[in-house]
Amino acid sequence: MSGLLLILQLTNLTVIERSRKGTGFDYWLGSQNSATTLPFERMDRLEVSGIRKGNQSQINTRVKLKTEQTRASDAQGLPAYIIVVDLGRPISIISAKQNPEGTVLQ
């Protein structure tokens, strides 16, 4: 849940719907400002993951794993956000994958 709240707070995106199994990501995202896009238009992908309690290396490894997981839907050419939340302490990493080739910005 905290990953969804982070997207709402830090971007102009909102959750449209849960993706189907096998897509490599959890949620479809769309614009919060429907005046610029069609309502419920799928614009971005979101993959969220939680770690009960981890160190920085474990969190970074999970980000890399989840980024690789989104490759299953890269052919759509849409950006992907990957959020990993450490539930044992207030730390989250948000990564944005801007293109299907896998360039990651952090």
Side-chain angles (χ1 to χ4, degrees), residues 1-20:
M1 178 61 98
S2 57
L4 299 178
L5 295 174
L6 284 170
I7 278 293
L8 294 173
Q9 183 70 32
L10 299 175
T11 70
N12 189 35
L13 299 169
T14 188
V15 176
I16 300 297
E17 65 182 324
R18 183 110 165 100
S19 70
R20 61 182 169 75

Side-chain angles (χ1 to χ4, degrees), residues 22-81:
T23 59
F25 64 101
D26 296 320
Y27 297 96
W28 283 104
L29 302 174
S31 176
Q32 289 182 17
N33 181 2
S34 61
T36 60
T37 61
L38 297 172
F40 306 110
E41 182 177 2
R42 297 171 174 172
M43 299 176 60
D44 297 82
R45 302 168 289 157
L46 173 63
E47 172 61 24
V48 293
S49 183
I51 294 178
R52 189 174 306 265
K53 186 175 182 181
N55 60 39
Q56 193 64 46
S57 177
Q58 291 169 317
I59 295 168
N60 290 339
T61 298
R62 179 72 61 92
V63 169
K64 185 176 179 180
L65 175 72
K66 293 299 178 177
T67 300
E68 292 295 319
Q69 180 180 309
T70 64
R71 282 191 177 180
S73 57
D74 277 354
Q76 297 175 16
L78 297 172
Y81 288 89

